[in-house]
Amino acid sequence: MSSHAAHHNWERTLEKTWDSLQERDGRLVVDTIAKDAQFFAGSQAGNAKRRFLLRRVVILVDNSSEVVEERDLRPNRLVVFGKHLIIFLNRFFASNPTSEIAIIGASDQTGVLISPMTSSIVTHRENIAAKFTAAGKFSIQNAVEAAVRVLDDAPPHSTREIISLISSRYTIDPDPLSQLYPMLRAKEIVVSCIMVGCDVYAFRQLCDNSGSRGQTKGDMHVIRTVEELDSVLAYHCVPKAAPEDQRSTLIRMGFPVRTVGTIMRCTCHKEYRQSMYNCPRCSAPYCDIPTTCSVCRLQLVSATHIARTAAHLRPVPEVKRVVLNERCLACKEKLPTEREMVQCTACGVALCLDCARVIQDDFRSCIGCQLKSTGATIPTVLATGVTKLTNTTTVATKTVLGGSRQVPMKRARKTVIGKKDAKRPSADLF
Ligand SMILES: [Zn+2]
Ligand SMILES: [Zn+2]
Ligand SMILES: [Zn+2]
Ligand SMILES: [Zn+2]
């Protein structure tokens, strides 16, 4: 877990934001390098060449009455769980569009299906808003058994994962939890637990004794703040690495064409709409993709979804936050004062935070490294803090779907566009 937020909320003292101000060249600047949080979740997750990309995940949320009583996460844990679950779903489906999620609420010593197994973020959002209420006590055995019943329909080539968000410190079960282990191993279901504030031995044992595909085990996380909850949920957006000897499976997928103008009733919501995607095998109309055809079980996707899923296999270069006064390589913006930027450790280019986020979330690759691989010369921040253009041609990048295209724009007049400043923090980067 990250150490920067290792206190309970009630243990925190007054947050002195002025402590992060530092004086440089007679000006006050915010020293954000000191609180260098995990900026790119993907770059921290390792660069495995094989991953389980088609995932079926059940989010098991502890909706016992304890989540409303505890006030350590404000206003209460129920509201925080609901809000951050939606943030997680947005992030998950952006990077795993061919995977599906179901949500189960554990309340009244049972597991209640809040949202069915689907890749539709709209359906999940509506169901969370309508059915997210707390009641009764927590029973992990009954909740996991309800999740297993949902995962029984998962195709054999996909992973079966249960991510439990647990607030209770105890569980009321009809049988010992150890009776679940053989069933979880036989069905290759990986159980991970995210606990708020404490570590329960029985839940940790459940994680350790679940899953068997490639010896993959579940993870046990203990979170104490909202930032840690966000960080752990971001970790679960990245598919687990698969062993080298894992057998590959060929899967049939359909690429439906969108038809506009004819009013049809969609198979998924039974609603009349003007634009539809027709299944290429059975012609069943669907209002949105990705989805699985409910008539012929063909997975309906677009080429963009495949590209976004496969992006997990491309190594993401590590980046670090720096304070610089350089021109952003992507948007060419340069502010008159020093600001926080992101620098790629592989190619050395600096990007503004907005561009870095877009490039990371949408393309999962470094724009500087891509330009370098095409043989283009790029401006790099040198050890002395001087920015030089070693070639007189600047290169602008026009972003297109599925990749980037380099367009020569103009001749640079000066070879040096930055001034030497020995006091800059970039001096110790290389
Ligand atoms: Zn529909
Ligand atoms: Zn079909
Ligand atoms: Zn930029
Ligand atoms: Zn790079």
Side-chain angles (χ1 to χ4, degrees), residues 266 268-269 273 287:
C266 74
C268 36
H269 303 93
R273 290 171 197 255
C287 56

Side-chain angles (χ1 to χ4, degrees), residues 265-271 273 276 285-288:
R265 193 170 182 232
C266 74
T267 318
C268 36
H269 303 93
K270 313 282 185 249
E271 288 174 8
R273 290 171 197 255
M276 286 287 167
Y286 291 91
C287 56
D288 202 8

Side-chain angles (χ1 to χ4, degrees), residues 69-88:
E69 291 161 7
E70 297 283 350
R71 300 272 170 185
D72 52 346
L73 304 180
R74 290 185 184 273
N76 58 48
R77 292 182 183 180
L78 184 72
V79 176
V80 171
F81 283 177
K83 185 179 158 196
H84 289 268
L85 199 52
I86 290 174
I87 296 172
F88 165 73

Side-chain angles (χ1 to χ4, degrees), residues 11-29:
E11 289 174 337
R12 286 183 177 177
T13 53
L14 177 69
E15 195 178 346
K16 298 172 182 172
T17 49
W18 54 88
D19 278 351
S20 60
L21 287 175
Q22 285 194 351
E23 193 171 343
R24 276 197 212 114
D25 302 336
R27 292 194 318 271
L28 284 174
V29 292

